Amino acid sequence: MNPVTIRCVITDDEPLAAKGIMGYAARTGFLEVVAVCEDAVQLNAVLKQQPADLLFLDIEMPYISGIEFLKNYPQPPKVIFTTAYERYAMQGFELDVLDYLLKPISFERFLKAANKAYDYFAAQRTQQSPYFFIKSDKKLEKVLYQDILFAEALENYVAVYTTDRKILTHARLKSVIEMLPAQQFIQPHKSYVVNMQHIGAIEGNILHVGAFQVPISKYQKEEVLEKIVNNRLLRK
């Protein structure tokens, strides 16, 4: 198996804390720090320009907390929280973070979290099957990625629409997104994820996907259009 390099961004308003994590990351051999940010506002701008796999994210910061950033950023990288406050631990794990590090962070504890991230990304990158299984109505249904039109969040369920059926599963949309190839799917709205291969047209704030219409959030429109159209737009 090829070695895994994890591109990470450190975000902390305490320079000494950020410097400490940078030093720890350099010692692992598989964490590549691509950016260091002072707050979530700067992180937001960096992620628009710099792809990342993993965030080392402080929680209590100026302007917007790490938790609020994670709740509101579409399809964020995986996260390891780094904080001095234990009281946020439950919220962190509800947001499906990889780990939660309490300051002051020892290298031993940091390495344990880093290894957890390594195992996660190694598993993700060795998944080459063109399908996955969805649990629905007490059975597991095999679904080919190429057959998925889109998935829609419905409170405690997700409806997965394929070219020939609709599958309802008890899950969060985020869990479904993590099973999908990132280069093939896009999230135009917090309640939807769409297979770009099946987008037939873009009309205003609507994606035409097969016989269905999927909304584009006004906050997502520019990013969505850039990713979908890319260099495939015929200009006069």
Side-chain angles (χ1 to χ4, degrees), residues 183-196:
Q183 72 276 10
Q184 187 176 338
F185 288 82
I186 192 168
Q187 189 172 13
H189 185 283
K190 66 179 182 180
S191 298
Y192 294 86
V193 60
V194 175
N195 187 343
M196 289 188 286

Side-chain angles (χ1 to χ4, degrees), residues 134-137 156-160 167-172 176:
I134 297 176
K135 186 175 182 180
S136 178
D137 195 23
N156 296 324
Y157 291 84
V158 174
V160 178
I167 305 169
L168 196 64
T169 183
H170 188 274
R172 294 183 302 163
V176 173

Side-chain angles (χ1 to χ4, degrees), residues 99-116:
D99 211 335
Y100 189 97
L101 299 178
L102 282 173
K103 299 175 183 177
I105 303 166
S106 68
F107 180 69
E108 178 184 9
R109 183 64 183 87
F110 177 90
L111 186 60
K112 181 178 180 181
N115 284 334
K116 184 183 295 186

Side-chain angles (χ1 to χ4, degrees), residues 9-15 17-18 21 36-44 47 55-70 79-85 87-88 103:
V9 176
I10 298 167
T11 303
D12 200 308
D13 61 333
E14 299 175 19
I21 295 172
V36 178
C37 304
E38 295 180 355
D39 54 53
V41 177
Q42 188 178 358
L43 172 62
N44 185 73
L47 290 179
L55 305 181
F56 287 97
L57 184 62
D58 191 16
I59 292 180
E60 291 206 349
M61 295 183 292
Y63 311 115
I64 181 173
S65 72
I67 286 177
E68 289 303 315
F69 174 82
L70 186 55
V79 168
I80 294 176
F81 275 137
T82 59
T83 179
Y85 303 97
R87 63 179 178 270
Y88 297 115
K103 299 175 183 177

Side-chain angles (χ1 to χ4, degrees), residues 106-157:
S106 68
F107 180 69
E108 178 184 9
R109 183 64 183 87
F110 177 90
L111 186 60
K112 181 178 180 181
N115 284 334
K116 184 183 295 186
Y118 184 95
D119 291 343
Y120 172 83
F121 287 108
Q124 291 289 306
R125 294 172 189 182
T126 55
Q127 288 181 354
Q128 298 178 350
S129 298
Y131 62 85
F132 70 124
F133 284 90
I134 297 176
K135 186 175 182 180
S136 178
D137 195 23
K138 298 182 181 180
K139 65 180 178 181
L140 292 173
E141 295 201 34
K142 180 179 178 179
V143 181
L144 296 176
Y145 295 125
Q146 66 184 24
D147 290 344
I148 297 173
L149 299 176
F150 65 94
E152 178 186 9
L154 302 169
E155 295 187 353
N156 296 324
Y157 291 84

